[in-house]
């Protein structure tokens, strides 16, 4: 009798919990996947441990090595509080008060909602901690001076959560949030000015100097220079498989983002991302290899 | 002296003609190589089109997959001659790591034949899953043996 009562009580209690509580780790994993699996934080080429950093990210200002974001209490982010994490993601400031270089795309992550950030932290903290010290950056002054980022942010960074456009549908706003906040597509697919800030009038129009020196295509719906000829199904299929409409596969960092992240995203979410990208103004910007690089 | 100069000029002319003939031959070889890869991409694009648009042609997928497998058997032959000059995106790594290149082509054949087999069963989920593996085998070769996009020739 007592056993039956205990069983009933446990079932009732767990039902209430699951109805009101969130599976933060599961939610966080989905957000992690939409972000492209945080591919920059694993040194894949040198078979580095998952999320333990050390991946060199080449920029026009020098090389920055990605950081260890496993929950290791010394070399990772294991001793970070929730506020530390949210501050890093949304303001680009470390728990110690230092400014992060914007190769860490807090300029997009700032748009993420607090519940999504809390879930993402829960997922990252569920990963095995890895003892891997962060590597010092390879940059010369004045680019290596973090304090200058205070001024960089004044020009190039507008912190704040995503604000839905009330004139657009819920689906369109969801697509905008996914693309601009979590998947942070514009960080790679937008050309930058001399200060390294995004050229706001050319969002998603492609860049010859993408991350790691890679060419990032124009993903506005321009017919000739962008993805205007791609259907929504083409975009979804591409994000699921890395295969372009002509049958060719994508390489480089994008293939990693698909492999580690986008391929696991729910199709309905990919559909909204495709719809958002299709709704953008087409920008005529032919992104091609720099002259002299072809042998 | 005159005779020597004439002889020298004739030799230069013969050498130039040989070089031109070789260059023309290499260009034709390159075009065939690229046509083979384009044809393979065509099959990949066709399978993708069927799957992503849910076209009523899943019974065609096995044929396309078999086409990819057959093409993969021609790749080692087609790439055996080292041509790195001209409008080519091939990396010298192909000939520096020839056995790896051959194995990459074989891998494409294996995965695409698997796809052909799975496609005959008609289970779309399984077909999509295997299609990803075929895509990965394309990528496995391209990653090591084809120029990165910022160095490729525009086509």
């Amino acid at each position: 009798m007592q056993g039956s009562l205990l069983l009933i009580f446990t079932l009732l209690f767990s039902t209430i919990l699951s109805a009101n509580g969130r599976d933060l780790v599961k939610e966080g994993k989905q957000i992690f996947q939409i972000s492209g699996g945080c591919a920059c934080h694993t040194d894949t080429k040198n078979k580095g441990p998952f999320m333990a950093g050390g991946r060199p990210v080449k920029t026009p200002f020098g090389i920055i090595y990605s950081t260890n974001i496993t929950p290791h209490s010394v070399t990772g982010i294991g001793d970070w509080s929730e506020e530390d994490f949210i501050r890093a993601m949304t303001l680009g400031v470390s728990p110690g008060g230092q400014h992060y270089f914007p190769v860490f795309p807090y300029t997009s992550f700032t748009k993420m909602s607090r519940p999504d950030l809390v879930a993402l932290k829960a997922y990252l903290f569920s990963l095995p901690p890895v003892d891997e010290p962060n590597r010092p950056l390879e940059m010369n002054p004045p680019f290596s001076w973090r304090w200058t980022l205070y001024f960089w942010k004044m020009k190039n960074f507008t912190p704040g959560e995503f604000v839905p456009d009330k004139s657009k549908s819920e689906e369109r706003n969801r697509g905008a949030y996914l693309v601009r906040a979590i998947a942070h597509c514009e960080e790679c697919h937008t050309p930058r000015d001399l200060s390294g800030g995004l050229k706001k009038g050319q969002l998603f129009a492609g860049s010859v100097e993408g991350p790691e020196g890679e060419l990032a295509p124009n993903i506005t719906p321009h017919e000739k220079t962008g993805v205007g000829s791609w259907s929504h199904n083409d975009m979804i299929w591409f994000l699921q498989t890395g295969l372009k409409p002509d049958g060719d596969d994508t390489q480089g960092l994008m293939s990693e983002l698909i492999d580690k992240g986008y391929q696991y995203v729910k199709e309905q979410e990919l559909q909204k991302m495709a719809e958002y990208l299709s709704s953008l103004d087409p920008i005529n910007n032919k992104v091609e290899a720099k002259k002299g690089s072809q042998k | 002296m005159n005779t020597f100069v004439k002889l020298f000029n004739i030799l230069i002319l013969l050498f130039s003609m040989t070089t031109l003939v070789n260059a023309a031959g290499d260009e034709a070889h390159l075009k065939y190589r690229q046509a083979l890869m384009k044809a393979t991409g065509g099959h990949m694009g066709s399978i993708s089109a069927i799957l992503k648009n849910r076209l009523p042609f899943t019974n065609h997928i096995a044929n396309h997959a078999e086409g990819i497998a057959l093409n993969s058997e021609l790749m080692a032959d087609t790439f055996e001659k080292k041509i790195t000059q001209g409008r080519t995106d091939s990396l010298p790594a192909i000939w520096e790591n020839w056995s790896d290149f051959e194995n990459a082509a074989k891998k494409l054949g294996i995965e695409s034949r698997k796809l052909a087999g799975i496609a005959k069963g008609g289970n779309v989920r399984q077909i999509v899953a295997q299609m990803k593996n075929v895509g990965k085998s394309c990528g496995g070769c391209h990653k090591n043996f084809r120029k990165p996009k910022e160095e490729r020739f525009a086509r």
Side-chain angles (χ1 to χ4, degrees):
Chain A
M1 177 67 175
Q2 276 181 329
S4 304
L5 279 173
L6 183 63
L7 181 63
I8 291 165
F9 177 75
T10 306
L11 284 170
L12 192 64
F13 187 66
S14 62
T15 307
I16 292 167
L17 249 187
S18 60
N20 294 327
R22 295 163 61 194
D23 185 342
L24 287 177
V25 174
K26 187 179 172 186
E27 270 187 47
K29 189 174 182 180
Q30 289 167 355
I31 291 160
F32 175 82
Q33 288 163 348
I34 296 169
S35 80
C38 299
C40 293
H41 285 275
T42 303
D43 188 8
T44 315
K45 191 176 174 185
N46 296 309
K47 298 180 169 55
F50 186 60
M51 295 296 113
R55 181 179 182 137
V57 182
K58 289 176 196 167
T59 75
F61 311 102
I63 299 174
I64 297 169
Y65 292 92
S66 62
T67 53
N68 182 344
I69 58 170
T70 74
H72 193 271
S73 58
V74 177
T75 61
I77 62 170
D79 66 347
W80 285 23
S81 67
E82 193 169 278
E83 288 312 313
D84 288 337
F85 183 79
I86 290 172
R87 198 155 160 251
M89 292 287 286
T90 60
L91 297 177
V93 178
S94 73
Q98 286 192 316
H99 293 289
Y100 285 117
F101 290 98
V103 69
F104 163 36
Y106 53 82
T107 39
S108 283
F109 294 149
T110 191
K111 299 181 190 70
M112 287 176 68
S113 70
R114 190 182 178 97
D116 280 354
L117 287 164
V118 168
L120 180 60
K121 179 178 178 287
Y123 171 69
L124 289 174
F125 273 58
S126 74
L127 299 175
V130 176
D131 183 6
E132 188 74 33
N134 292 324
R135 292 181 64 173
L137 42 91
E138 291 175 17
M139 288 168 101
N140 292 322
F143 307 116
S144 57
W145 296 338
R146 283 186 191 268
W147 60 266
T148 60
L149 290 166
Y150 173 80
F151 299 102
W152 184 91
K153 285 178 173 177
M154 281 174 70
K155 178 186 173 292
N156 296 303
F157 178 44
T158 307
E161 203 173 316
F162 176 81
V163 177
D165 182 348
K166 288 178 183 167
S167 69
K168 306 285 187 220
S169 69
E170 204 176 305
E171 289 77 18
R172 180 14 174 101
N173 278 313
R174 177 68 182 164
Y177 174 74
L178 292 171
V179 168
R180 299 205 64 194
I182 309 180
H184 62 287
C185 306
E186 63 204 59
E187 299 289 340
C188 298
H189 287 273
T190 303
R192 291 179 184 264
D193 60 28
L194 287 174
S195 72
L198 297 178
K199 289 184 179 175
K200 294 283 164 65
Q202 293 198 282
L203 285 182
F204 306 106
S207 175
V208 291
E209 285 273 7
E212 301 187 339
E214 290 184 17
L215 196 149
N218 178 347
I219 56 171
T220 72
H222 193 267
E223 197 68 26
K224 284 188 180 162
T225 64
V227 292
S229 62
W230 290 35
S231 66
H232 290 168
N233 284 345
D234 287 337
M235 290 184 198
I236 293 165
W237 182 252
F238 174 74
L239 292 172
Q240 290 173 327
T241 64
L243 294 170
K244 295 182 259 186
D246 65 359
D248 195 7
D249 60 304
T250 192
Q251 259 102 62
L253 187 56
M254 189 65 191
S255 75
E256 287 189 61
L257 298 178
I258 291 169
D259 202 42
K260 291 176 169 51
Y262 301 146
Q263 67 162 321
Y264 303 109
V265 175
K266 290 178 191 171
E267 193 163 310
Q268 309 96 290
E269 299 278 66
L270 293 178
Q271 175 75 27
K272 286 165 191 162
M273 289 169 72
E275 283 173 8
Y276 171 70
L277 286 171
S278 301
S279 74
L280 296 171
D281 288 334
I283 297 175
N284 184 359
N285 185 37
K286 189 174 182 183
V287 182
E288 52 189 354
K290 286 180 275 190
K291 282 176 188 169
S293 64
Q294 294 166 342
K295 297 188 182 99
Chain B
M1 190 65 177
N2 255 345
T3 313
F4 176 76
V5 168
K6 280 180 190 172
L7 196 62
F8 184 73
N9 285 341
I10 290 166
L11 279 171
I12 293 290
L13 188 63
L14 279 171
F15 178 74
S16 304
M17 283 171 65
T18 311
T19 307
L20 277 170
V21 165
N22 278 345
D26 281 356
E27 197 184 320
H29 192 129
L30 264 184
K31 282 188 176 165
Y32 172 65
R33 209 156 83 179
Q34 286 157 6
L36 176 67
M37 299 311 289
K38 198 168 176 186
T40 309
H43 283 304
M44 290 292 286
S46 299
I47 298 171
S48 294
I50 293 167
L51 293 170
K52 64 188 163 188
N53 298 310
R54 292 163 173 83
L55 296 174
F57 300 125
T58 46
N59 59 321
H60 292 193
I61 292 175
N63 281 54
H64 287 296
E66 195 59 45
I68 295 168
L70 288 169
N71 283 0
S72 74
E73 290 170 9
L74 305 176
M75 284 173 189
D77 237 10
T78 313
F79 278 86
E80 196 172 12
K81 184 180 182 187
K82 181 177 179 177
I83 306 171
T84 53
Q85 299 304 311
R87 288 182 64 86
T88 173
D89 294 331
S90 299
L91 286 173
I94 291 174
W95 299 279
E96 290 160 9
N97 304 292
W98 180 250
S99 58
D100 289 344
F101 178 79
E102 275 188 307
N103 288 337
K106 282 177 187 165
K107 173 91 175 148
L108 177 62
I110 291 167
E111 295 298 343
S112 47
R113 285 224 154 82
K114 257 190 218 168
L115 176 61
I118 290 168
K120 284 170 187 165
N123 183 317
V124 175
R125 273 181 179 247
Q126 288 175 357
I127 293 170
V128 170
Q130 182 53 23
M131 182 59 176
K132 285 186 185 180
N133 289 335
V134 177
K136 279 180 184 167
S137 62
C138 294
C141 191
H142 289 156
K143 187 177 168 183
N144 297 320
F145 302 118
R146 185 172 73 170
K147 288 178 188 169
K149 56 180 175 301
E150 40 281 345
E151 290 174 28
R152 276 184 234 151
F153 287 93
R155 286 191 176 84

